[in-house]
Amino acid sequence: MTMRLAAAELVESREILPGQWLQAYHAPTIASGSRAGQFVHVRTGDFSGMVLRRPFSVNTADLATGVITIHFRVIGRGTEWFTRLRAGDEIDLLGPLGRPFEVDPRSRHLLLVAGGLGMAGVRMLADEAIRDGRQVTLLFGAASSREVYPSSLLPDEIEYVVATDDGSLGHHGFVTDLVPEYEAWADQAFACGPSAMLAALARQAEGRRGRLGVASLGRKRGGGRGDPAGSPAARRKAFLQVSMEQNMGCAVGACLGCVVMSTSGVPQRVCREGPVFAAEELVWEGAWS
Amino acid sequence: MKAKRRVIMSSGRPLGASRTPRPPRRRPALATVVPKPKSEPRSSAATSQAEAADAARDVEIDLSVDLGRGLVLPNPILVASGAFGYGVEYGDVVDVDRLGAICCKGTTLKPRIGNPTPRVTETPGGMLNSIGLQNPGVDAVIEKYAGTWAGWNVPVIVNVAGESVSDYVEVTRRLEGVPGIAGIELNISCPNVGKGGLQFAIDAGAAGEVTAAVRRATDLPLLVKLSPNVADIRPIARAIAEAGADALTAINTLSGIAVAPGRGRPLLGNIYGGLSGPAVKPVALRIVYEAAQAVKIPIIAIGGVTELADVLDFLSVGAVAVQVGTAIFADPTLPVRLVDELSAECRRVGVTTHLDLVGSALPNRAGAPSAKGVEYRP
């Protein structure tokens, strides 16, 4: 669906974790057109103070009710402004924006990896995968148990595994420590979180084909090296897809503010070519040096 | 309201006196007739008051702006370079054919990958950007977009940047004669590599030199964008006008820095960024005010336009048109709405062209520029 400007009415707003909010907005055109991985660009009510919109992943979208949710942490004046909205208040959304996750139709087992607020980036993919009859394991990493996303807000059908930096809940360590265990089980992996986490996942994914001896699997269809970088087909064939974050201006590809460096040497726009990229399309270290 | 000062166009004709039919536009991309506002059908049950209002509505408001060399903007609300990409990005959200003109993303001779990230950040009442002129190079821009532009009614002005006079000239030569390109806006806030990296825009000699060189290379309408990062804008504006520019655009961004919260380091990957948005409007007003007293060519103002009042402010300090930049990110529909609001404002105050509102804040005699001291009066 093409992007559009839509007025959205706040249905519900609550603080699900300290400083983290989940808000539901009635925006039927956006709910029906959104796919997992896409985002909305939201205008604050105070233009002269805050000149930029704020991008939020579409956390969930309910076709039946026309409600989308966004999940954010209060990190500045913009996010603070959103928490002051009350049910019935209207905001202005631009969306859905960006390219979604692409699941290979043959993939049965999806590994989702989220770090902190990265949950918002992959949350909707869990819904879509379950709807399509796939099995989902969601690995989640946070600093401590106080910041662990409540399992009550996730679909019952998924396996939810938690890691905390301080060991206060689940695995004591990084969420990436858990990944090798699922490497063989997973047909594809989808991740969103801090860039260090994504870079670590990209390194882990790099050697996977060789270790598992599946190097030729993806090449049987489509005649090998064919799909142009950034195409949906290229992402669909990738084992690891990542949802990237970057400071953003326009969110439609006009300002070139939100780029990440690709292996082709041309910066790619997170808002347009992303936010979802195949991990192998991106340069993870020394991109600008 | 009566303009205290008449802005003289490049044809030597005062603006206020040019309400007779304008010369036909010559460029193919601009050949389509400018749509006039439609008058609404009268209701039979209208009261005399409503009839009076209707009569006022019937007055044709002419918002066109003649920049010379055949470039007549259908209205004075342009979109600024960098804020609107190549005109295609906003898709159906913006009806581009209702804009006065589109200034496209800065274009260089060779492709540029731009600056390290982060490239943008919000600041109080504005934003800093340091895109670093990422663009695919002039040839790719022509190949990808000129065909689309040629199909539009809206004039597309290509913003040209370079690191040497020959860069600017070469980019201009390649744009010359391409259907769909209505004019050129020189971004001279670039380091002149041949002169130790000093920006063209901060030196009257270099600004005049690059303008003159491009002028010799093209018959395209030539706009030159002023930098606010200078002590005195007047000699620079004069040098550019004397070198043959058809119009000035002002202002480019103000140089600034942001510090990453809680980290004590520069936030932007490039350290320096350009400040834009409502925060820069007073500076833009001052520069336009000073430049308007220094030159006779038209001035297009840029800097923090977010509502009709801002447009009127810039007209009153001598601009004949404005560009909307940063505000587009928050409200992409703003420029088109400003066209309607300006038209309505002209009706309200009883003028048939917004050009009658130009220059009302300018002094009768040239005042002391800010370079002579802002708060201190001798």
Side-chain angles (χ1 to χ4, degrees), chain A residues 1-86:
Chain A
M1 188 191 106
T2 53
M3 63 168 171
R4 59 183 67 188
L5 277 170
E9 186 185 317
L10 181 67
V11 179
E12 196 193 346
S13 173
R14 66 194 167 104
E15 193 172 9
I16 54 171
L17 291 167
Q20 290 188 37
W21 292 68
L22 192 63
Q23 291 189 327
Y25 290 93
H26 188 242
T29 57
I30 304 229
S32 63
S34 297
R35 286 179 57 195
Q38 291 188 296
F39 67 100
V40 289
H41 211 30
V42 189
R43 189 178 172 182
T44 72
D46 171 20
F47 172 76
S48 59
M50 291 178 276
V51 304
L52 297 179
R53 287 173 179 255
R54 270 46 178 180
F56 297 107
S57 291
V58 178
N59 186 62
T60 60
D62 188 342
L63 272 167
T65 58
V67 167
I68 65 161
T69 62
I70 59 172
H71 168 204
F72 58 90
R73 191 203 306 269
V74 176
I75 53 163
R77 296 197 307 151
T79 40
E80 203 271 330
W81 184 88
F82 284 105
T83 65
R84 291 200 304 270
L85 291 171
R86 293 290 168 260

Coordinates of all heavy atoms in Angstrom, one line a residue, chain A residues 1-86:
Chain A
M1 N 0.8 -1.2 0.0 CA 0.0 0.0 0.0 C 0.9 1.2 0.0 O 1.9 1.3 0.6 CB -0.9 0.0 1.3 CG -1.9 1.1 1.3 SD -2.7 1.2 2.9 CE -2.0 2.7 3.5
T2 N 0.4 2.2 -0.7 CA 1.2 3.5 -0.7 C 1.0 4.2 0.6 O -0.1 4.1 1.2 CB 0.8 4.4 -1.9 OG1 -0.6 4.5 -1.8 CG2 1.2 3.8 -3.2
M3 N 2.0 5.0 0.9 CA 1.8 5.8 2.2 C 0.8 6.9 2.0 O 0.4 7.3 0.9 CB 3.1 6.5 2.5 CG 3.5 7.5 1.4 SD 4.9 8.5 1.8 CE 5.2 9.3 0.3
R4 N 0.2 7.2 3.1 CA -0.7 8.3 3.1 C -0.7 9.0 4.5 O -0.2 8.5 5.5 CB -2.1 7.8 2.8 CG -2.7 6.8 3.8 CD -4.0 6.3 3.4 NE -3.9 5.6 2.2 CZ -5.0 5.2 1.5 NH1 -6.2 5.5 1.9 NH2 -4.9 4.4 0.4
L5 N -1.2 10.2 4.5 CA -1.4 11.0 5.7 C -2.7 10.6 6.3 O -3.7 10.6 5.6 CB -1.4 12.5 5.5 CG 0.0 13.2 5.4 CD1 -0.2 14.6 4.9 CD2 0.7 13.2 6.7
A6 N -2.8 10.3 7.6 CA -4.0 9.8 8.2 C -4.1 10.4 9.6 O -3.2 10.5 10.3 CB -4.1 8.3 8.3
A7 N -5.4 10.8 10.0 CA -5.6 11.2 11.3 C -5.9 10.0 12.1 O -6.6 9.1 11.7 CB -6.8 12.2 11.4
A8 N -5.3 9.9 13.3 CA -5.4 8.7 14.1 C -5.8 9.1 15.5 O -5.3 10.0 16.1 CB -4.1 7.9 14.2
E9 N -6.8 8.4 16.0 CA -7.3 8.7 17.4 C -6.7 7.7 18.4 O -6.7 6.5 18.2 CB -8.9 8.6 17.4 CG -9.5 9.1 18.7 CD -11.0 8.8 18.7 OE1 -11.7 9.1 17.6 OE2 -11.5 8.3 19.7
L10 N -6.2 8.3 19.5 CA -5.7 7.5 20.5 C -6.8 6.7 21.2 O -7.8 7.3 21.7 CB -4.9 8.3 21.6 CG -4.3 7.5 22.7 CD1 -3.1 6.7 22.2 CD2 -3.8 8.5 23.8
V11 N -6.6 5.4 21.3 CA -7.7 4.5 21.9 C -7.2 4.2 23.3 O -8.0 4.2 24.2 CB -7.8 3.2 21.1 CG1 -8.9 2.3 21.7 CG2 -8.2 3.5 19.6
E12 N -6.0 3.8 23.4 CA -5.5 3.4 24.8 C -4.0 3.7 24.9 O -3.3 3.6 23.9 CB -5.7 1.9 24.9 CG -5.6 1.4 26.4 CD -5.5 -0.1 26.5 OE1 -5.8 -0.8 25.5 OE2 -5.2 -0.5 27.6
S13 N -3.6 4.1 26.1 CA -2.2 4.4 26.3 C -1.8 3.9 27.7 O -2.5 4.2 28.7 CB -2.0 5.9 26.3 OG -0.7 6.3 26.6
R14 N -0.8 3.1 27.8 CA -0.4 2.7 29.1 C 1.1 2.4 29.2 O 1.8 2.1 28.2 CB -1.2 1.5 29.6 CG -1.0 0.2 28.9 CD -2.1 -0.8 29.3 NE -2.1 -1.9 28.4 CZ -1.7 -3.1 28.7 NH1 -1.2 -3.4 29.9 NH2 -1.7 -4.1 27.8
E15 N 1.6 2.6 30.4 CA 3.1 2.4 30.6 C 3.2 0.9 31.0 O 2.9 0.5 32.0 CB 3.5 3.3 31.8 CG 5.0 3.4 31.9 CD 5.4 4.4 32.9 OE1 4.6 5.0 33.7 OE2 6.7 4.7 33.0
I16 N 3.8 0.1 30.0 CA 3.9 -1.3 30.2 C 5.1 -1.7 31.0 O 5.2 -2.7 31.6 CB 3.9 -2.1 28.9 CG1 4.9 -1.6 27.9 CG2 2.5 -2.0 28.3 CD1 5.1 -2.5 26.7
L17 N 6.2 -0.9 31.0 CA 7.4 -1.1 31.7 C 7.8 0.3 32.1 O 7.4 1.3 31.6 CB 8.5 -1.7 30.8 CG 8.2 -3.1 30.4 CD1 9.2 -3.5 29.2 CD2 8.4 -4.1 31.5
P18 N 8.7 0.4 33.1 CA 9.1 1.8 33.6 C 9.7 2.6 32.4 O 10.6 2.2 31.7 CB 10.3 1.5 34.6 CG 10.0 0.1 35.0 CD 9.4 -0.6 33.9
G19 N 9.0 3.7 32.1 CA 9.4 4.5 31.0 C 9.1 4.0 29.6 O 9.5 4.7 28.6
Q20 N 8.4 2.9 29.5 CA 8.1 2.3 28.2 C 6.6 2.3 28.0 O 5.9 1.8 28.9 CB 8.7 0.9 28.0 CG 10.2 0.9 27.8 CD 10.7 -0.4 27.5 OE1 10.1 -1.2 26.7 NE2 11.8 -0.8 28.0
W21 N 6.1 2.8 26.9 CA 4.7 2.9 26.7 C 4.2 2.2 25.5 O 4.9 2.0 24.5 CB 4.3 4.4 26.5 CG 4.5 5.2 27.7 CD1 5.7 5.5 28.3 CD2 3.5 5.8 28.6 NE1 5.5 6.2 29.5 CE2 4.2 6.5 29.6 CE3 2.2 5.9 28.5 CZ2 3.5 7.2 30.6 CZ3 1.5 6.6 29.5 CH2 2.2 7.2 30.5
L22 N 3.0 1.7 25.6 CA 2.3 1.0 24.5 C 1.0 1.9 24.2 O 0.2 2.1 25.1 CB 1.9 -0.4 24.9 CG 1.5 -1.3 23.8 CD1 2.6 -1.6 22.8 CD2 1.0 -2.7 24.4
Q23 N 0.9 2.3 23.0 CA -0.3 3.2 22.7 C -1.0 2.5 21.5 O -0.4 2.1 20.5 CB 0.2 4.6 22.3 CG 0.7 5.4 23.5 CD 0.9 6.8 23.2 OE1 1.2 7.2 22.1 NE2 0.7 7.7 24.2
A24 N -2.3 2.6 21.6 CA -3.1 2.0 20.5 C -3.9 3.2 19.8 O -4.4 4.0 20.5 CB -4.1 1.0 21.0
Y25 N -3.8 3.2 18.5 CA -4.4 4.3 17.7 C -5.4 3.7 16.7 O -5.1 2.6 16.1 CB -3.4 5.1 17.0 CG -2.6 6.0 17.9 CD1 -1.3 5.5 18.4 CD2 -3.0 7.3 18.2 CE1 -0.6 6.3 19.2 CE2 -2.2 8.1 19.0 CZ -1.0 7.6 19.5 OH -0.3 8.4 20.3
H26 N -6.5 4.3 16.5 CA -7.5 3.9 15.5 C -7.1 4.6 14.2 O -7.2 5.8 14.0 CB -8.9 4.3 15.9 CG -9.9 3.7 15.0 ND1 -10.8 4.5 14.2 CD2 -10.2 2.4 14.7 CE1 -11.6 3.7 13.5 NE2 -11.3 2.5 13.8
A27 N -6.5 3.8 13.3 CA -6.1 4.3 12.0 C -6.3 3.2 10.9 O -5.4 2.5 10.5 CB -4.6 4.6 12.0
P28 N -7.5 3.0 10.5 CA -7.9 1.8 9.7 C -7.1 1.7 8.4 O -6.6 0.6 8.0 CB -9.4 2.0 9.4 CG -9.9 3.0 10.4 CD -8.7 3.8 10.8
T29 N -6.8 2.9 7.7 CA -6.1 2.8 6.4 C -4.7 2.3 6.7 O -4.2 1.5 5.8 CB -6.1 4.1 5.7 OG1 -5.5 5.1 6.6 CG2 -7.5 4.6 5.3
I30 N -4.1 2.7 7.8 CA -2.7 2.3 8.0 C -2.7 0.8 8.5 O -1.8 0.1 8.1 CB -2.1 3.3 9.1 CG1 -2.2 4.7 8.5 CG2 -0.7 2.8 9.4 CD1 -1.0 5.5 8.5
A31 N -3.7 0.5 9.4 CA -3.7 -0.9 9.9 C -3.9 -1.9 8.8 O -3.2 -2.9 8.8 CB -4.9 -1.0 10.9
S32 N -4.7 -1.6 7.8 CA -4.9 -2.6 6.7 C -3.8 -2.6 5.8 O -3.6 -3.6 5.1 CB -6.2 -2.2 6.0 OG -6.1 -1.0 5.4
G33 N -3.0 -1.6 5.7 CA -1.9 -1.6 4.7 C -0.5 -2.0 5.2 O 0.4 -2.1 4.4
S34 N -0.4 -2.1 6.5 CA 0.9 -2.3 7.1 C 1.3 -3.8 7.1 O 0.5 -4.6 7.4 CB 0.9 -1.8 8.5 OG 0.7 -0.4 8.6
R35 N 2.6 -3.9 6.9 CA 3.2 -5.3 7.1 C 4.3 -5.2 8.1 O 4.9 -4.1 8.4 CB 3.8 -5.8 5.8 CG 2.7 -6.2 4.8 CD 3.3 -6.7 3.5 NE 4.2 -7.8 3.7 CZ 5.1 -8.2 2.8 NH1 5.1 -7.6 1.6 NH2 5.9 -9.2 3.0
A36 N 4.6 -6.3 8.7 CA 5.7 -6.4 9.8 C 7.0 -5.8 9.3 O 7.4 -6.2 8.2 CB 5.9 -7.8 10.2
G37 N 7.5 -4.9 10.1 CA 8.8 -4.3 9.7 C 8.6 -2.8 9.2 O 9.5 -2.0 9.2
Q38 N 7.4 -2.5 8.8 CA 7.1 -1.1 8.4 C 6.9 -0.2 9.6 O 6.8 -0.6 10.7 CB 5.9 -1.1 7.5 CG 6.2 -1.8 6.1 CD 5.0 -1.6 5.2 OE1 3.9 -2.0 5.4 NE2 5.3 -0.9 4.1
F39 N 6.9 1.1 9.3 CA 6.8 2.1 10.4 C 5.9 3.3 10.0 O 5.5 3.4 8.9 CB 8.2 2.6 10.8 CG 8.9 3.4 9.8 CD1 8.9 4.8 9.9 CD2 9.6 2.9 8.7 CE1 9.5 5.6 8.9 CE2 10.2 3.6 7.8 CZ 10.2 5.0 7.9
V40 N 5.5 4.0 11.0 CA 4.8 5.2 10.8 C 5.6 6.4 11.3 O 6.4 6.3 12.2 CB 3.4 5.2 11.5 CG1 2.5 4.2 10.9 CG2 3.6 4.9 13.0
H41 N 5.3 7.6 10.7 CA 6.0 8.8 11.1 C 5.0 9.7 11.7 O 4.1 10.1 11.0 CB 6.7 9.4 9.8 CG 7.9 10.2 10.0 ND1 8.8 9.8 11.0 CD2 8.5 11.2 9.4 CE1 9.9 10.7 11.0 NE2 9.7 11.5 10.0
V42 N 5.2 10.1 12.9 CA 4.1 10.7 13.7 C 4.5 12.1 14.0 O 5.6 12.4 14.5 CB 3.8 9.9 15.0 CG1 2.6 10.4 15.6 CG2 3.7 8.4 14.7
R43 N 3.5 13.0 13.8 CA 3.8 14.4 14.1 C 3.4 14.8 15.5 O 2.4 14.3 16.0 CB 2.9 15.2 13.2 CG 3.2 16.7 13.2 CD 2.4 17.5 12.2 NE 2.6 18.9 12.4 CZ 2.0 19.8 11.8 NH1 1.1 19.5 10.9 NH2 2.2 21.1 12.0
T44 N 4.2 15.5 16.2 CA 3.9 16.0 17.5 C 3.0 17.2 17.3 O 2.9 17.8 16.3 CB 5.1 16.4 18.4 OG1 5.6 17.6 17.8 CG2 6.2 15.3 18.4
G45 N 2.3 17.6 18.4 CA 1.4 18.7 18.3 C 2.1 20.1 18.4 O 1.5 21.1 18.2
D46 N 3.4 20.0 18.7 CA 4.2 21.3 18.9 C 5.2 21.5 17.9 O 6.4 21.2 18.0 CB 4.8 21.2 20.3 CG 5.8 22.3 20.6 OD1 5.7 23.4 20.0 OD2 6.6 22.1 21.5
F47 N 4.8 22.0 16.7 CA 5.7 22.1 15.6 C 6.8 23.1 15.9 O 8.0 22.8 15.6 CB 5.0 22.5 14.3 CG 6.1 22.8 13.2 CD1 6.7 21.8 12.6 CD2 6.4 24.1 12.9 CE1 7.7 22.0 11.7 CE2 7.4 24.4 12.0 CZ 8.1 23.3 11.4
S48 N 6.5 24.3 16.4 CA 7.6 25.3 16.5 C 8.6 24.8 17.5 O 9.8 25.2 17.4 CB 7.0 26.6 16.9 OG 6.3 26.5 18.2
G49 N 8.3 24.0 18.5 CA 9.3 23.4 19.4 C 10.0 22.2 18.8 O 11.2 22.1 18.9
M50 N 9.2 21.3 18.3 CA 9.7 20.0 17.7 C 9.4 19.9 16.3 O 8.3 19.7 15.9 CB 9.2 18.9 18.5 CG 9.6 18.8 20.0 SD 8.9 17.5 20.9 CE 7.3 18.2 21.4
V51 N 10.4 20.2 15.4 CA 10.1 20.3 14.0 C 10.1 19.0 13.3 O 9.6 19.0 12.2 CB 11.2 21.2 13.3 CG1 11.3 22.6 14.0 CG2 12.6 20.6 13.3
L52 N 10.5 18.0 13.9 CA 10.6 16.7 13.2 C 9.5 15.7 13.7 O 9.1 15.8 14.9 CB 11.9 16.0 13.4 CG 13.1 16.7 12.8 CD1 14.4 16.0 13.0 CD2 12.9 16.9 11.3
R53 N 9.0 14.9 12.8 CA 8.1 13.8 13.2 C 8.9 12.8 13.9 O 10.1 12.8 13.9 CB 7.4 13.2 12.0 CG 6.3 14.1 11.4 CD 5.8 13.5 10.1 NE 4.8 14.3 9.6 CZ 3.5 14.0 9.6 NH1 3.1 12.9 10.1 NH2 2.6 14.9 9.1
R54 N 8.3 11.8 14.6 CA 8.9 10.7 15.2 C 8.6 9.4 14.5 O 7.4 9.1 14.4 CB 8.5 10.6 16.7 CG 9.3 11.4 17.7 CD 9.6 12.8 17.3 NE 10.4 13.5 18.4 CZ 10.8 14.8 18.3 NH1 10.5 15.5 17.2 NH2 11.5 15.3 19.3
P55 N 9.6 8.6 14.1 CA 9.3 7.3 13.5 C 9.1 6.2 14.6 O 9.8 6.2 15.5 CB 10.5 7.0 12.7 CG 11.6 7.8 13.4 CD 11.0 8.9 14.1
F56 N 8.0 5.4 14.4 CA 7.8 4.3 15.3 C 7.4 3.1 14.4 O 6.7 3.2 13.5 CB 6.5 4.5 16.2 CG 6.7 5.7 17.2 CD1 6.0 6.9 16.9 CD2 7.5 5.6 18.3 CE1 6.2 8.0 17.8 CE2 7.7 6.6 19.1 CZ 7.0 7.8 18.9
S57 N 8.0 1.9 14.8 CA 7.6 0.7 14.1 C 6.2 0.4 14.4 O 5.6 0.8 15.5 CB 8.4 -0.5 14.7 OG 9.8 -0.4 14.4
V58 N 5.5 -0.1 13.4 CA 4.1 -0.6 13.7 C 4.3 -1.9 14.5 O 4.8 -2.9 14.0 CB 3.4 -0.9 12.3 CG1 2.0 -1.5 12.6 CG2 3.3 0.3 11.5
N59 N 3.9 -1.8 15.8 CA 4.1 -2.8 16.7 C 3.1 -4.0 16.5 O 3.5 -5.1 16.5 CB 4.0 -2.2 18.1 CG 4.3 -3.2 19.2 OD1 5.5 -3.7 19.3 ND2 3.4 -3.5 20.1
T60 N 1.9 -3.6 16.3 CA 0.9 -4.6 15.9 C -0.1 -3.8 15.1 O -0.3 -2.6 15.2 CB 0.1 -5.2 17.1 OG1 -0.6 -4.1 17.8 CG2 1.0 -6.0 18.1
A61 N -0.8 -4.5 14.2 CA -1.9 -4.0 13.4 C -3.1 -4.9 13.4 O -2.9 -6.1 13.1 CB -1.4 -3.7 12.0
D62 N -4.2 -4.5 13.8 CA -5.4 -5.3 13.8 C -6.4 -4.9 12.7 O -7.0 -3.8 12.8 CB -6.1 -5.2 15.2 CG -7.2 -6.2 15.4 OD1 -7.7 -6.8 14.3 OD2 -7.6 -6.5 16.5
L63 N -6.5 -5.8 11.7 CA -7.4 -5.5 10.6 C -8.8 -5.3 11.0 O -9.5 -4.4 10.5 CB -7.3 -6.6 9.6 CG -6.2 -6.5 8.5 CD1 -6.0 -7.8 7.8 CD2 -6.6 -5.4 7.6
A64 N -9.3 -6.1 11.9 CA -10.7 -6.2 12.3 C -11.1 -4.9 12.9 O -12.2 -4.3 12.6 CB -11.0 -7.3 13.2
T65 N -10.3 -4.3 13.8 CA -10.6 -3.1 14.5 C -10.0 -1.9 13.9 O -10.4 -0.8 14.3 CB -10.2 -3.2 16.0 OG1 -8.7 -3.4 16.0 CG2 -10.8 -4.4 16.7
G66 N -9.1 -2.0 13.0 CA -8.4 -0.9 12.5 C -7.4 -0.2 13.4 O -7.2 1.0 13.3
V67 N -7.0 -0.9 14.4 CA -6.1 -0.3 15.4 C -4.7 -0.8 15.2 O -4.4 -1.9 15.0 CB -6.6 -0.8 16.9 CG1 -5.6 -0.4 17.9 CG2 -7.9 -0.1 17.2
I68 N -3.8 0.2 15.3 CA -2.3 -0.1 15.3 C -1.8 0.3 16.7 O -2.3 1.1 17.4 CB -1.5 0.6 14.2 CG1 -1.5 2.1 14.4 CG2 -2.0 0.3 12.8 CD1 -0.4 2.8 13.7
T69 N -0.7 -0.4 17.1 CA -0.1 0.0 18.3 C 1.4 0.4 18.0 O 2.0 -0.1 17.1 CB 0.0 -1.1 19.4 OG1 0.7 -2.2 18.9 CG2 -1.4 -1.6 19.8
I70 N 1.9 1.3 18.9 CA 3.3 1.7 18.9 C 3.8 1.5 20.3 O 3.1 1.6 21.2 CB 3.5 3.1 18.4 CG1 2.8 4.1 19.3 CG2 3.1 3.3 16.9 CD1 3.2 5.6 19.0
H71 N 5.1 1.2 20.3 CA 5.8 0.9 21.6 C 7.0 1.7 21.7 O 7.8 1.7 20.7 CB 6.1 -0.6 21.7 CG 7.0 -1.0 22.8 ND1 7.8 -2.2 22.7 CD2 7.3 -0.4 24.0 CE1 8.5 -2.3 23.8 NE2 8.2 -1.2 24.6
F72 N 7.2 2.6 22.7 CA 8.3 3.4 22.7 C 8.8 3.7 24.2 O 8.1 3.5 25.1 CB 8.0 4.8 22.1 CG 6.9 5.6 22.7 CD1 7.1 6.5 23.7 CD2 5.6 5.4 22.2 CE1 6.0 7.2 24.2 CE2 4.5 6.1 22.7 CZ 4.7 7.0 23.8
R73 N 10.0 4.1 24.3 CA 10.6 4.5 25.5 C 10.7 6.0 25.6 O 10.9 6.7 24.5 CB 12.0 3.9 25.7 CG 12.6 4.1 27.1 CD 14.1 4.0 27.1 NE 14.7 2.8 26.4 CZ 15.0 1.7 27.0 NH1 14.8 1.6 28.3 NH2 15.5 0.7 26.3
V74 N 10.4 6.6 26.7 CA 10.5 8.1 26.8 C 12.0 8.4 26.9 O 12.7 8.1 27.8 CB 9.8 8.6 28.0 CG1 10.0 10.1 28.2 CG2 8.3 8.3 28.0
I75 N 12.5 9.0 25.8 CA 13.9 9.4 25.7 C 14.1 10.9 25.5 O 15.3 11.4 25.5 CB 14.7 8.6 24.6 CG1 13.9 8.8 23.3 CG2 14.8 7.2 25.0 CD1 14.8 8.4 22.1
G76 N 13.1 11.6 25.3 CA 13.2 13.0 25.0 C 11.9 13.7 25.0 O 10.9 13.2 25.5
R77 N 11.9 15.0 24.5 CA 10.7 15.8 24.6 C 9.6 15.2 23.7 O 8.4 15.4 24.1 CB 11.0 17.2 24.2 CG 12.0 17.9 25.1 CD 12.0 19.4 24.9 NE 12.2 19.7 23.5 CZ 11.8 20.8 23.0 NH1 11.1 21.7 23.7 NH2 12.0 21.1 21.7
G78 N 9.9 14.6 22.6 CA 8.9 14.1 21.7 C 8.2 13.0 22.3 O 6.9 13.0 22.4
T79 N 8.9 12.0 22.7 CA 8.3 10.8 23.3 C 7.5 11.2 24.6 O 6.5 10.6 24.9 CB 9.3 9.7 23.6 OG1 10.5 10.3 24.1 CG2 9.7 8.9 22.3
E80 N 8.0 12.2 25.3 CA 7.4 12.6 26.5 C 6.0 13.3 26.1 O 5.0 13.1 26.8 CB 8.3 13.6 27.2 CG 8.0 13.8 28.7 CD 7.0 14.9 29.0 OE1 6.9 15.9 28.2 OE2 6.2 14.8 30.0
W81 N 6.0 14.0 25.0 CA 4.8 14.6 24.5 C 3.7 13.6 24.3 O 2.5 13.8 24.6 CB 5.1 15.4 23.3 CG 3.9 16.2 22.8 CD1 3.5 17.5 23.1 CD2 3.0 15.8 21.8 NE1 2.4 17.9 22.5 CE2 2.0 16.8 21.6 CE3 2.8 14.6 21.1 CZ2 1.0 16.8 20.7 CZ3 1.7 14.5 20.2 CH2 0.8 15.6 20.0
F82 N 4.1 12.5 23.7 CA 3.1 11.4 23.3 C 2.5 10.8 24.6 O 1.3 10.5 24.6 CB 3.8 10.3 22.5 CG 4.0 10.7 21.1 CD1 5.3 11.0 20.6 CD2 3.0 10.8 20.2 CE1 5.5 11.4 19.3 CE2 3.2 11.2 18.9 CZ 4.4 11.5 18.4
T83 N 3.3 10.7 25.7 CA 2.7 10.1 26.9 C 1.6 11.0 27.5 O 0.8 10.5 28.3 CB 3.8 9.9 28.0 OG1 4.3 11.1 28.4 CG2 4.9 9.0 27.4
R84 N 1.6 12.3 27.1 CA 0.6 13.1 27.7 C -0.7 13.1 26.9 O -1.7 13.7 27.4 CB 1.1 14.6 27.8 CG 2.2 14.8 28.8 CD 2.4 16.2 29.2 NE 2.6 17.1 28.0 CZ 3.8 17.4 27.5 NH1 4.9 16.9 28.1 NH2 3.9 18.2 26.5
L85 N -0.8 12.4 25.8 CA -2.0 12.3 25.1 C -3.0 11.4 25.8 O -2.7 10.5 26.6 CB -1.7 11.6 23.7 CG -0.9 12.4 22.7 CD1 -0.6 11.6 21.5 CD2 -1.7 13.7 22.2
R86 N -4.3 11.8 25.7 CA -5.4 11.0 26.3 C -6.3 10.4 25.3 O -6.3 10.9 24.1 CB -6.2 12.0 27.2 CG -5.4 12.6 28.4 CD -5.2 11.5 29.4 NE -4.2 11.9 30.4 CZ -2.9 11.6 30.4 NH1 -2.4 10.8 29.5 NH2 -2.1 12.0 31.4

